[in-house]
Every structure is written in C-alpha cells, then in structure tokens.
Amino acid sequence: MELFDLTGKVAIITGSSKGIGKAIAERMAEHGAKVVISSRKAGPCDEVAQAINAKHGEGRAIAIPANIASKEDLQRLVDETNAAFGKIDILVCNAASNPYAGPMSGINDEQFEKIFHNNVLANHWLTQMVAPQMLARREGSVILVSSIGGLRGNALIGAYNVSKAADMQLARNLAVEWGPSNVRCNCIAPGLVQTDFARYLWENPEILKLATDPAPLKRIGQPDEIAGAAVYLAAPASTYMTGQTLVVDGGITIAW
C-alpha cells in the first residue's frame, strides 16, 4: 500500500476555486483522487476543474458550486457528488468567512453570527451529511481547515479565532464518535498564508512583520505548503491519526 496514494478516492473540497482549497484539490488529484471543486461562484470552480482535467484526464474533477451558508446548497453538493462518483471518501471543509477585523467590543451580532454559521455550523452540517456512508464502509477521512488563531489570542480577529478553536473541538468530538467505525477527523491549523482571504493581513507591512519576524522560517506561507498536510491526512500514511490538529505555520507558535 502506497502511503500517499489516493487512487480511487473521491474528495469534496470546499472553498477550492482559489487559495488553500485550490492547492489541496490540485495535489489530491495529482495523488490519484477524483475531486469536487466547490465555492460560491460557478465560473471559478469550472476553471479549476477544467485545468485539473486537462492535466490528469477528463473526469478527474467536477465543479459543483455551493454556498456554505446554505444547508440546502451543501446537501445538493453531497447529493450531486454521490450521483457523479458514487461515493465520498474524503471531505475537506476549507471554506470560511471573516467579515470583521478589530476588537471584540466592536463586532456586531450579524458579523459574529456569520462567522460561526459559516466556520462552524456549515462544517457540522457537511460532516453529518457525509458521515453515514463513511461509517457504513468503515473508512473515511474528514479534514477541517482551522487556523493557528484557534490556539492563540488576538486583538484583531478574535471572533474568527474563537470559531477556529471550535473547529478543533469539533474534530476531537467527531474523532471520538467515529473512531470505532474507523472514520477519522483531523484539523489543519495554518499560519499566515498568502491568499486573497488573508490579504488584509499580509498586505499590511506592520502586520506582516509581526507575523513573520518571530517565526523560525521568517516568511509567509504559500497555499501549496498546506496542501501536503491535507494529502497526508487523507491518505493511508495517517490511518492511525485522528482528533488531532496539525500545525503548519513556519514555526511561529513555538517561537518566543
């Protein structure tokens, strides 16, 4: 058994039209998986799926747009994946929202609710939609893309960080529930990565300096540097790992 072989596996990756999600989809396809590209807008999803198919062969990727805020959209994402590929082996909950930056005292209820709806509740919905078939087959891997923000306090993105800490706990709970059926759930906690989602952080020279100077690697991360962690957590290489948070952050969380 090849440690990183995903041949024959089917993976849904949310938020995969760009950034970390796109990199994960590309690398999983490279390792043999059939991948479902999903984000809100159809056009960007189609472009990513077409590029993967051009590289790896027709049928390797399909695009199913879905808004993570909509439970109906997520159910359609799962149903259409099952119709197209017959099963779901891997779920990567990568899509997230953060409509507010600033002290917790300044966030309004609508912003707070949107963060938790999209970053936690949507993940809960998706995991519940895909779990039954995984449990029945006694095989599957769910990966929640969290953040090192869930491990630390921060005066700028506090509500987002609370939601990412909740994802880590969601993974622990699901790992305990699903473990007897050989279905795993883990988190990836990236540090600051150069994506459009985090642009407001890394485009600010002062924030970028604060985020990179103390880190042993002294630089910002790239989306493809997170993708390898997702391949590992989906592949046979990690079959004895569940309920864990894999930190990929250039070393910032271990630095003084």
Side-chain angles (χ1 to χ4, degrees):
M1 182 170 57
E2 295 292 333
L3 286 179
F4 297 97
D5 184 13
L6 297 177
T7 301
K9 302 300 184 183
V10 176
I12 292 176
I13 304 104
T14 66
S16 49
S17 64
K18 57 185 178 180
I20 291 172
K22 178 177 178 240
I24 290 172
E26 290 171 340
R27 289 299 187 177
M28 285 193 174
E30 184 178 280
H31 284 263
K34 294 180 179 179
V35 297
V36 178
I37 309 303
S38 186
S39 65
R40 284 182 302 166
K41 298 180 180 178
C45 292
D46 288 335
E47 290 177 9
V48 174
Q50 289 167 10
I52 290 173
N53 287 331
K55 185 174 183 180
H56 299 289
E58 197 62 34
R60 184 62 67 86
I62 60 172
I64 305 177
N67 184 346
I68 58 170
S70 165
K71 191 173 187 178
E72 292 73 22
D73 266 21
L74 295 180
Q75 186 63 63
R76 179 178 51 79
L77 169 62
V78 170
D79 292 344
E80 291 187 14
T81 299
N82 283 324
F85 291 137
K87 62 173 182 171
I88 300 163
D89 301 288
I90 302 158
L91 171 65
V92 182
C93 295
N94 169 69
S97 298
N98 187 35
Y100 173 80
M104 294 288 286
S105 59
I107 192 169
N108 63 44
D109 289 351
E110 182 180 358
Q111 291 166 326
F112 198 94
E113 288 170 359
K114 181 176 182 178
I115 289 170
F116 273 81
H117 186 106
N118 290 355
N119 298 3
V120 184
L121 183 58
N123 292 348
H124 166 70
W125 284 340
L126 262 177
T127 58
Q128 297 309 299
M129 291 170 186
V130 304
Q133 61 174 282
M134 292 181 176
L135 295 171
R137 288 195 307 269
R138 297 185 62 82
E139 184 180 26
S141 176
V142 172
I143 303 163
L144 310 181
V145 179
S146 182
S147 166
I148 61 168
L151 300 169
R152 312 172 73 182
N154 187 291
L156 184 65
I157 51 173
Y160 175 80
N161 287 356
V162 175
S163 75
K164 291 303 182 176
D167 282 334
M168 295 177 191
Q169 185 59 37
L170 178 60
R172 287 188 284 264
N173 288 345
L174 294 177
V176 170
E177 292 182 23
W178 297 345
S181 296
N182 197 43
V183 176
R184 302 178 297 112
C185 186
N186 291 287
C187 275
I188 301 172
L192 182 58
V193 177
Q194 196 166 10
T195 64
D196 287 344
F197 183 81
R199 183 177 294 276
Y200 71 102
L201 295 173
W202 56 262
E203 275 195 338
N204 183 315
E206 292 182 6
I207 295 176
L208 180 60
K209 182 178 175 64
L210 285 172
T212 56
D213 277 6
L217 293 185
K218 305 293 183 187
R219 63 176 176 83
I220 192 172
Q222 297 301 316
D224 199 47
E225 295 180 299
I226 309 303
V231 170
Y232 165 71
L233 291 174
S238 65
T239 50
Y240 196 50
M241 182 172 180
T242 194
Q244 303 302 311
T245 296
L246 185 57
V247 176
V248 188
D249 68 347
I252 186 66
T253 52
I254 58 90
W256 177 252

